[in-house]
Amino acid sequence: MSRAPRLQRLSWLLFLLWCSTTAAVCAAALPTARTGTVTWVYDADTLEVTPHGKVRLLGIDAPEKAASERDQAFIKLGVARNRLRPVHGEGLAWTIRNAKGCQVGLTFGHPERDRHGRLLAYVRLPDGRLLNRVLLEEGLAIVYRRFDFALKDDYLTAEAEARQRGAGLWRR
């Protein structure tokens, strides 16, 4: 292996380590690797971004349109079952209003794709906010806990604050 890829990999690992210890600052500092235009919103956590294709928002999980076994992750966290389908609609509408047609910045995860072939990315809105985090703040998604990622601690904080406010999924 040549020196350049090793240095690049080491630089990225050091960046991730730094992010994990300073998550709030890191959200603003994430490098935007590419840009694209949101041309379709499948649901709150999956977008079509031209010219890149289907993008899954890294680190979050939004309710699905139809009931599935994935509902258990929400219920296990204390989300009422009867909130899942309405919040799916709210999250879809919010994402369409705030992201569709917008040019966004994408910072891809590692790995870059999930098992379904979708790009995994942090999506930066034109106003500079991370769409992934905003959906947590609005209570329209939960933190995807199965895998680690650079902003996980920050995202858990955002989810806890939404829960405390009774926003979205956490409304009774």
Side-chain angles (χ1 to χ4, degrees):
M1 181 181 283
S2 74
R3 250 185 141 88
R6 283 184 191 167
L7 287 174
Q8 187 177 16
R9 188 172 296 142
L10 179 61
S11 295
W12 181 249
L13 289 172
L14 289 172
F15 175 74
L16 289 177
L17 178 63
W18 176 79
C19 284
S20 68
T21 59
T22 58
V25 173
C26 186
L30 276 175
T32 299
R34 299 187 194 143
T35 60
T37 302
V38 177
T39 54
W40 191 257
V41 178
Y42 295 97
D43 58 27
D45 60 16
T46 308
L47 317 169
E48 184 73 25
V49 180
T50 301
H52 306 291
K54 200 177 253 190
V55 174
R56 176 71 161 73
L57 274 63
L58 182 61
I60 69 167
D61 194 15
E64 300 299 317
K65 182 176 183 176
S68 72
E69 74 269 356
R70 289 183 55 199
D71 290 354
Q72 292 307 312
F74 294 87
I75 293 164
K76 189 175 177 180
L77 291 173
V79 175
R81 185 182 301 275
N82 66 353
R83 293 293 303 139
L84 295 174
R85 303 299 77 83
V87 171
H88 163 80
E90 292 171 29
L92 175 64
W94 193 99
T95 305
I96 290 170
R97 272 192 322 273
N98 292 280
K100 190 172 181 193
C102 293
Q103 183 162 338
V104 296
L106 301 173
T107 302
F108 299 117
H110 292 282
E112 197 169 281
R113 294 188 183 271
D114 68 7
R115 64 188 172 105
H116 303 291
R118 301 173 295 189
L119 288 164
L120 297 171
Y122 296 105
V123 176
R124 188 168 304 284
L125 295 168
D127 65 8
R129 297 179 301 160
L130 287 178
L131 175 58
N132 318 46
R133 190 180 200 289
V134 175
L135 290 168
L136 292 168
E137 293 169 354
E138 297 291 327
L140 301 174
I142 60 172
V143 175
Y144 193 74
R145 288 162 165 79
R146 190 170 176 189
F147 301 108
D148 285 330
F149 54 95
L151 299 180
K152 191 170 189 176
D153 289 340
D154 181 53
Y155 280 19
L156 288 166
T157 299
E159 179 188 282
E161 290 168 356
R163 180 190 299 235
Q164 188 174 30
R165 288 191 327 276
L169 289 161
W170 313 108
R171 194 174 312 130
R172 294 283 176 179

